[in-house]
Amino acid sequence: MDNQGFRVVLTGQLMEGFAREPVLASLSRLFQTSAAKIADVFEGGEHPIRDVLGKHEALALQKRIERLGAKARVETAASDVANDALILPVDDTPPDAGLMHCPACGHKQLVSKRCDECGVVFADYNRQHRAGPVVAETQSANPFPHTARPVKTAPQKPRDIHAAASDGWRDDWLEEDSVPTEQYHVNLFMGMRSADLSETCEKMMLGRRTRMMLSWVPGAFLSPFLWAMYRKMWAWGTVIFAVEILLPVVLITLGAKEGMSDKLVYAGLALLLINRLFWPAVLKNLYCRHARRTIRYMHRLAPTYASDIDIATRGGTSRTSAFVGLVLGIVVSLLSWSVMDTLYANVIKPTPEFTTPATLPSDPPPLLPNGGATQPPIDLQATAPNNENRWVATRNRLRLLGQSINAWFADRGAGVDPQSFDMAGLAAAMSLDAESMRDGWGREVSYLPEGQGYVLRSAGPDGEFGTADDVEYRRILQR
């Protein structure tokens, strides 16, 4: 039974009271591998260690792993494990190579700040137990040289039984002032000339949590998107681009089209103003969160801490990114404008105000019995409601006729010049019936080219063009 092999299995769970990141760092030092591989263990459930150990060695390894903060159990080595399983570091060097001895209890372990066995902090222990004796006061410090002063000596300390084992161990790098702090790494990440950002971030840091604090960023008022690109915040830059640039352009483009509500334009302009006020107020907090999460991620991929040069390179600023963001914003804005124009022309067609024209008599008013061209006197009181209905019908017919002409010109493209047509030419080209070209009084509508568009005109109740009662429909063609 004593010759039976045992294997230690990591359960993928943390011991109570331990945080994830310190445990990952400790296990990466124990197995001499990256923290990323250790992180996969905690995400994939149980993970056996490949080494087959004796009973006592397996129990000792289990105890050590649990002291580092990870739950483990011991089982018999009944079968082989996968090739990518964790293994204890083994080489041809002596067993003690690369290990340190605790100056307090003699426990052997990988280099660390604290003893895994007794918990003593090495830097504090060395300062207390390796300090030299108190030197006697010098003669120059005595204002009365002729007066003898007693020499003060340090009290005798008990002999350190582990001193011989600890003589060859260098621990000068473990002094507390040399251990990098999170704020030190945040300052490296944010780069030079970012003191205001790092100081504000320090106020927001509350343990592992970053509390919300509003703080104004003047440089982001012109364009929060370009500020985020300059600070290498790619994910947030994408979100800000969609809200700050893309959505206002779409709203303003749609609001400028005929048949769409003008409120869309006002909504787009209001959204531009809101972006200029909202994002500068929260970007410092978002940048602080971005910096802390990126630094933690880099630490998890390193055995202990990510190097200073890697942190400074990952953070900092990038003028190239800001320039690329500016060009991208201009291109996408123009492309969005063109896409919305195409969708409007093919999908969102404006609907006429009246779908069915009013039923009106098609015959002109009767002439005088003598056949003259002069009509009998009109009773204005009796014909006022009738004229009003014909006026509305005329405007409706002009609008329907104008929509048909617009669609015909749009289908033919820029090769058809609206200046080369008159009403008769359009009627022949479009196969229009005579009724669709008459106004509410039964008279033919005229077509007059005007600039980049045209004018449809009805002579009105008096039947004469150029008078005050003419009805007109103007349209500019978008070619």
Side-chain angles (χ1 to χ4, degrees), residues 41-308:
V41 174
F42 286 88
E43 295 176 358
E46 293 190 350
H47 194 94
I49 300 173
R50 189 189 305 175
D51 300 82
V52 179
L53 307 174
K55 180 178 181 180
H56 296 289
E57 289 81 0
L59 292 174
L61 179 59
Q62 177 194 17
K63 183 178 180 181
R64 182 175 184 185
I65 291 175
E66 290 180 346
R67 283 199 303 267
L68 296 179
K71 289 185 178 181
R73 60 181 177 84
V74 177
E75 63 178 20
T76 57
S79 59
D80 295 335
V81 297
N83 294 330
D84 59 346
L86 295 175
I87 58 174
L88 292 172
V90 177
D91 52 24
D92 297 331
T93 58
D96 292 346
L99 299 180
M100 54 170 282
H101 298 263
C102 174
C105 67
H107 173 68
K108 298 178 182 179
Q109 66 179 45
L110 294 174
V111 177
S112 178
K113 291 175 53 180
R114 185 185 299 270
C115 177
D116 296 339
E117 182 69 24
C118 64
V120 67
V121 179
F122 302 133
D124 296 340
Y125 184 89
N126 292 333
R127 281 197 296 267
Q128 295 175 5
H129 294 78
R130 292 190 178 185
V134 179
V135 182
E137 297 184 8
T138 59
Q139 184 72 17
S140 59
N142 188 1
F144 305 98
H146 59 278
T147 304
R149 309 186 78 175
V151 177
K152 297 181 181 180
T153 59
Q156 295 295 328
K157 297 182 180 292
R159 185 176 65 88
D160 184 6
I161 61 176
H162 305 291
S166 304
D167 286 340
W169 171 53
R170 289 190 57 201
D171 63 344
D172 52 337
W173 64 277
L174 288 175
E175 295 295 334
E176 287 184 350
D177 56 354
S178 65
V179 177
T181 62
E182 183 181 15
Q183 185 61 34
Y184 169 76
H185 286 150
V186 169
N187 294 340
L188 280 178
F189 184 89
M190 293 185 176
M192 300 178 61
R193 295 183 295 274
S194 301
D196 180 59
L197 294 174
S198 60
E199 290 176 2
T200 306
C201 183
E202 184 177 7
K203 298 176 183 178
M204 298 177 181
M205 294 164 56
L206 188 61
R208 293 182 55 83
R209 185 170 64 89
T210 304
R211 59 181 177 178
M212 184 63 189
M213 290 178 57
L214 297 180
S215 182
W216 186 256
V217 182
F221 180 77
L222 180 62
S223 177
F225 166 66
L226 294 182
W227 192 92
M229 296 293 292
Y230 181 67
R231 287 290 172 178
K232 301 181 181 180
M233 299 170 63
W234 318 123
W236 277 112
T238 304
V239 175
I240 297 174
F241 175 80
V243 179
E244 178 200 357
I245 299 178
L246 191 59
L247 187 56
V249 168
V250 170
L251 292 176
I252 295 175
T253 305
L254 286 178
K257 301 299 180 183
E258 182 179 358
M260 305 299 292
S261 175
D262 295 339
K263 295 181 180 179
L264 293 177
V265 177
Y266 300 140
L269 297 176
L271 190 57
L272 287 176
L273 178 60
I274 292 173
N275 279 294
R276 294 301 183 276
L277 299 178
F278 173 75
W279 292 113
V282 300
L283 270 177
K284 278 189 180 180
N285 185 268
L286 297 179
Y287 186 49
C288 182
R289 294 173 185 268
H290 166 72
R292 299 186 71 188
R293 290 175 181 174
T294 304
I295 293 171
R296 288 173 189 169
Y297 174 77
M298 297 178 69
H299 287 340
R300 287 198 296 268
L301 299 182
T304 53
Y305 295 103
S307 64
D308 292 357

Side-chain angles (χ1 to χ4, degrees), residues 405 408-409 412 416-432 437 444-447:
I405 295 175
W408 188 82
F409 278 121
R412 269 74 185 159
V416 179
D417 185 10
Q419 304 289 336
S420 61
F421 287 91
D422 55 9
M423 195 69 247
L426 282 176
M430 298 174 58
S431 301
L432 297 176
M437 296 183 295
E444 185 176 346
V445 176
S446 69
Y447 169 88

Side-chain angles (χ1 to χ4, degrees), residues 305-335:
Y305 295 103
S307 64
D308 292 357
I309 186 63
D310 290 338
I311 294 176
T313 303
R314 178 70 68 88
T317 58
S318 175
R319 296 182 180 179
T320 303
S321 300
F323 176 76
V324 171
L326 177 62
V327 175
L328 180 65
I330 295 175
V331 172
V332 173
S333 298
L334 296 177
L335 182 62

